[in-house]
Amino acid sequence: MITSIAHATIYVLNQDEALDFYKNKLGFEIGDDMKVEGGFRWLTVYPKSNSQLQLVLAEPKEGPMFNKEAAEKIRSLIAEGAFGAGVFETENCQQTYEELVAKGVEFIQPPTEQLYGVEAMGLDNSGNWFSLVQR
Amino acid sequence: MATNNKLKKVKAGRDHIADNFYNALSLSDMAQHAHISPYHFLRVFKDTYGETPNEFLIRLRVAHAKKLLITENHSVSEVCEHVGYSSLGSFSSLFLKQTGMAPTLYRRKLWALSAEPFCFPAQAIPACYARHFLGK
């Protein structure tokens, strides 16, 4: 039986810039930030109140998984907004939305009533969408 | 479950711990930043986060110590100081309790696995990621 989700990956264009965004704009905490042999940087973040699921901020680079062409393709798809980080929960969508807008976070949909709650949709600084939901 | 207002207060206390774990921190320091009494802070914190403020503090310190032991060439006493402990003895026994090995043994074991100095060995991150990004 699977009991929980520990890590999920989001591809970003630049780990330093993504870390700045997730930490200083979204208010996430750093889980791990370690240089791993082979030039890989293991970087995870999580919302301050819940560290159970951590987001791995990874850069698509030429290496064992991607050839040069594939890495470049993924980078251009990220910038086009083809990928998403998923749903982030909030106690108050409107309030969080306003806080984030004030910090310069770009939104493609303001808080909107949905069947499951109030939802806004924003973009991280790589171009990945994330959904902000109040249930 | 804490009410919204109480949750905000306890979060402020938790943020204070997360931002200052490398300093000496008492329960009353933490509670002061949350603007609630130490007893209530302890109780609401445990209810909200599933661990006591002190358990959270120890977790942050040990996690940071692990990183320093592998990625920096500090002595164990320096690492102990960096993560907010004044007594090497209590740091070592906490570390041992949390990770199952003494700080020096932890360092020796992980350094032996790493192909590059001052880098985390690929074995210390989830294997799926090592395989994906490093081909190991």
Side-chain angles (χ1 to χ4, degrees):
Chain A
M1 186 181 65
I2 293 166
T3 55
S4 69
I5 300 178
H7 291 106
T9 309
I10 181 85
Y11 284 111
V12 296
L13 296 177
N14 177 294
Q15 284 178 311
D16 282 324
E17 287 168 18
L19 180 60
D20 179 63
F21 180 86
Y22 281 88
K23 186 168 179 274
N24 298 320
K25 306 272 185 186
L26 298 194
F28 283 26
E29 276 181 34
I30 302 174
D32 289 316
D33 185 359
M34 309 187 297
K35 208 169 74 168
V36 183
E37 56 186 277
F40 176 63
R41 181 180 178 191
W42 171 242
L43 179 61
T44 72
V45 293
Y46 59 94
K48 279 197 174 178
S49 56
N50 189 345
S51 61
Q52 193 178 29
L53 170 60
Q54 303 207 354
L55 268 184
V56 180
L57 302 178
E59 271 182 44
K61 277 185 182 163
E62 188 182 351
M65 191 69 177
F66 304 117
N67 60 31
K68 195 168 177 241
E69 205 176 88
E72 272 167 17
K73 244 185 226 168
I74 290 174
R75 297 180 79 86
S76 72
L77 285 169
I78 295 170
E80 280 174 30
F83 302 114
V87 177
F88 302 149
E89 285 194 321
T90 170
E91 297 145 350
N92 186 326
C93 185
Q94 181 67 35
Q95 192 190 331
T96 307
Y97 167 78
E98 284 166 16
E99 283 167 9
L100 295 182
V101 167
K103 287 183 179 174
V105 177
E106 192 186 334
F107 275 82
I108 47 180
Q109 181 199 292
T112 310
E113 293 277 349
Q114 306 285 2
L115 284 174
Y116 44 83
V118 185
E119 180 180 36
M121 226 165 148
L123 294 176
D124 75 6
N125 58 350
S126 293
N128 297 302
W129 58 263
F130 64 86
S131 178
L132 198 61
V133 168
Q134 172 191 350
R135 286 180 199 275
Chain B
M1 190 62 199
T3 59
N4 241 348
N5 193 34
K6 201 160 240 185
L7 192 63
K8 259 190 197 154
K9 287 181 169 180
V10 81
K11 259 186 183 167
R14 192 178 182 275
D15 287 354
H16 181 73
I17 303 171
D19 294 338
N20 297 281
F21 68 84
Y22 41 81
N23 292 322
L25 276 181
S26 68
L27 180 63
S28 55
D29 291 334
M30 302 168 186
Q32 210 179 343
H33 279 265
H35 302 288
I36 33 180
S37 78
Y39 170 74
H40 269 97
F41 179 69
L42 179 65
R43 202 170 54 88
V44 178
F45 194 103
K46 175 90 201 252
D47 283 353
T48 309
Y49 299 114
E51 62 186 344
T52 67
N54 198 44
E55 283 166 351
F56 175 57
L57 178 65
I58 291 171
R59 191 159 61 78
L60 290 179
R61 286 175 167 176
V62 168
H64 195 61
K66 280 182 173 177
K67 284 174 211 173
L68 291 178
L69 282 167
I70 301 307
T71 56
E72 306 285 338
N73 203 11
H74 299 316
S75 68
V76 174
S77 339
E78 282 170 323
V79 172
C80 159
E81 244 174 75
H82 268 291
V83 298
Y85 288 107
S86 47
S87 149
L88 186 60
S90 53
F91 167 69
S92 297
S93 61
L94 273 172
F95 193 95
L96 177 67
K97 208 172 144 195
Q98 298 274 317
T99 60
M101 53 187 123
T104 35
L105 179 63
Y106 177 81
R107 167 178 267 170
R108 210 178 309 137
K109 278 202 161 175
L110 266 82
W111 272 359
L113 290 174
S114 182
E116 291 171 42
F118 307 118
C119 278
F120 258 78
Q123 293 91 329
I125 63 168
C128 50
Y129 285 94
R131 195 184 144 106
H132 188 118
F133 289 102
L134 297 161
K136 297 206 175 195

